[in-house]
Structure formats: structure tokens, C-alpha cells
Amino acid sequence: MQLIECPWCGPREEVEFHYGGQAHVPYPDDPAALDDEQWAHYVFFRANTKGRFAERWSHSAGCRRWFNAVRDTATYRFEAVHRPDEPKPVTS
């Protein structure tokens, strides 16, 4: 069992968390101006990086808050976690 560090609750077992997708995806500036293909690209197309990757996670069985993490997708190891209002880490 892997421990994941919740920024509010501290380390907890991985079964308490849910993956929320790629972090730091900007919302469109003018969503009403997007056509269907552009919306599909925004909603469904995400990076599929091998290595360090910024992700969103939810502590669904704990404080129920969202946070961001940098995780190595090859080893599943969490390298850093931070609250959404904190600066975005470098992942490359």
C-alpha cells in the first residue's frame, strides 16, 4: 500500500484518493466561441507523459479537497504535492 501526502491531512493510504486528470489545464478564454471540435479537444485530449507529470487528486475518503501532485508515471512515485493555490511546479 502506498502512502499519499494530503496537503491538509498528511500521509494517508492510496485507497482514500481518486485521480482527477492532468493538472493546470487552462479553461478556454471564450468558451462560447468554441465549436464542437475545439470543445472535444479541450475535454478529451490530454498529455500522456511517461515520467514526471502534474496531476489533480482528490482526498475523497478524507477531507474531500482537491490538490495537485507531481508523480512519476513510470514508477508511480509521488515526488511532490501542493494545494491548488500554490505555484505550479516544474515537471520537465
Side-chain angles (χ1 to χ4, degrees):
M1 179 76 51
Q2 177 170 305
L3 293 179
I4 298 174
E5 181 84 23
C6 173
W8 291 275
C9 304
R12 300 290 191 269
E13 293 183 357
E14 64 184 307
V15 296
E16 293 188 17
F17 297 89
H18 283 94
Y19 177 74
Q22 183 177 354
H24 314 296
V25 177
Y27 193 74
D29 290 331
D30 187 6
L34 300 182
D35 62 24
D36 290 343
E37 184 176 345
Q38 292 168 317
W39 263 115
H41 187 73
Y42 168 72
V43 172
F44 298 112
F45 287 68
R46 294 289 181 257
N48 190 14
T49 304
K50 181 177 182 180
R52 298 183 79 219
F53 191 58
E55 303 172 327
R56 297 185 69 221
W57 285 81
S58 170
H59 190 182
S60 53
C63 63
R64 299 176 54 125
R65 292 182 177 179
W66 285 92
F67 63 93
N68 294 325
V70 176
R71 182 176 66 92
D72 187 318
T73 60
T75 64
Y76 200 69
R77 188 176 140 256
F78 282 77
E79 296 182 6
V81 297
H82 62 282
R83 297 175 184 197
D85 60 340
E86 294 176 342
K88 174 182 168 182
V90 176
T91 57
S92 56

